Amino acid sequence: MNAKPLPEGFRLLPGYFDRAGQEALLAAIRKVVAAAPLFTPVMPRTGRPFSVRMSNCGPLGWVSDREGYRYQAHHPETGEPWPPMPGQLDDLWAMVVPNQPPAQACLINYYGPGARMGLHQDRDERDFSAPVVSVSLGATAIFRLGGTSRQAPTRSFRLSSGDVLVLGGEARLAFHGIDRILPGTSTLLKDDGRINLTLRRVG
Ligand code: MD6
Ligand code: FE
């Protein structure tokens, strides 16, 4: 099992944020969500709701509705611009993606009980040269990583609170998803809650 080398550009940085760092980041995200409430996106065409709820911060935010997936500068329900990117996330991006322009978008995914995320590629950006950088907070998740075709073999990792994951290079367009959340693993968020933040350049 798992004898295959990881794709170039895949980096898991366990415990990047310590407990105090996680609490400070969570406080910043709570402020974002107070101004830009979580919304329930729906799948293009079918209108089927996602099990995760979402918001965004930074200049652009990712949204999904019956019209499709896209980045836009305003919240789909309030019409307000997304709140600014918290400083900790600008700092993280600068550490992990040095000498590059700042991230343009931070998608906030909130997982309540039973939420998951199907296998997908992050490919709604115009430019794939920058990696996607994620931070996990709260309950531990089982993250599945595949290849650049949906049929490629997959392997699984645990993402715990404070972990940072980087998908760049060959891993930038790898299929990935969240199979499930492990109950009873969150001391940061109540009711097995989990937040994943994904930072990107949109191009
Ligand atoms: C999640 N993460 O951890 C879902 N995408 O809840 C992602 O979809 C993801 O963690 C691109 C890069 C890193 C990620
Ligand atoms: Fe993704």
Side-chain angles (χ1 to χ4, degrees):
M1 284 285 277
N2 288 358
K4 248 175 85 260
L6 285 162
E8 175 274 320
F10 174 93
R11 285 167 73 195
L12 178 57
L13 308 173
Y16 183 98
F17 288 95
D18 66 10
R19 178 70 188 206
Q22 293 168 40
E23 285 171 0
L25 182 53
L26 179 60
I29 296 303
R30 286 198 200 282
K31 277 187 195 159
V32 167
V33 170
L38 293 167
F39 60 94
T40 301
V42 300
M43 291 295 290
R45 297 189 312 282
T46 65
R48 185 164 184 257
F50 283 54
S51 61
V52 300
R53 292 192 293 149
M54 296 182 175
S55 187
N56 289 274
C57 52
L60 291 170
W62 187 87
V63 299
S64 178
D65 59 22
R66 283 180 176 274
E67 317 289 293
Y69 306 133
R70 65 189 173 277
Y71 285 93
Q72 65 183 38
H74 59 274
H75 190 288
E77 291 171 0
T78 68
E80 295 288 323
W82 302 109
M85 189 82 75
Q88 296 102 316
L89 296 178
D90 278 328
D91 292 349
L92 168 65
W93 182 268
M95 286 293 285
V96 178
V97 194
N99 308 313
Q100 295 292 321
Q104 292 171 290
C106 173
L107 172 63
I108 300 166
N109 283 145
Y110 173 75
Y111 294 72
R116 54 187 298 284
M117 189 174 292
L119 212 61
H120 67 276
Q121 290 172 298
D122 285 32
R123 56 176 307 155
D124 298 320
E125 302 74 33
R126 274 187 295 269
D127 181 355
F128 302 135
S129 59
V132 180
V133 177
S134 88
V135 186
S136 293
L137 294 172
T140 302
I142 304 294
F143 178 89
R144 182 187 291 272
L145 177 75
T148 50
S149 92
R150 193 175 274 284
Q151 289 73 32
T154 64
R155 68 178 79 196
S156 295
F157 302 84
R158 283 178 183 216
L159 294 182
S160 301
S161 198
D163 292 357
V164 166
L165 173 64
V166 183
L167 295 187
E170 277 173 29
R172 176 65 181 76
L173 290 173
F175 278 88
H176 58 276
I178 296 292
D179 288 348
R180 62 197 177 91
I181 304 296
L182 300 181
T185 54
S186 178
T187 57
L188 194 70
L189 291 166
K190 65 174 159 55
D191 300 334
D192 298 326
R194 174 174 184 264
I195 291 172
N196 182 260
L197 309 170
T198 42
L199 303 170
R200 310 145 205 269
R201 290 290 303 171
V202 175

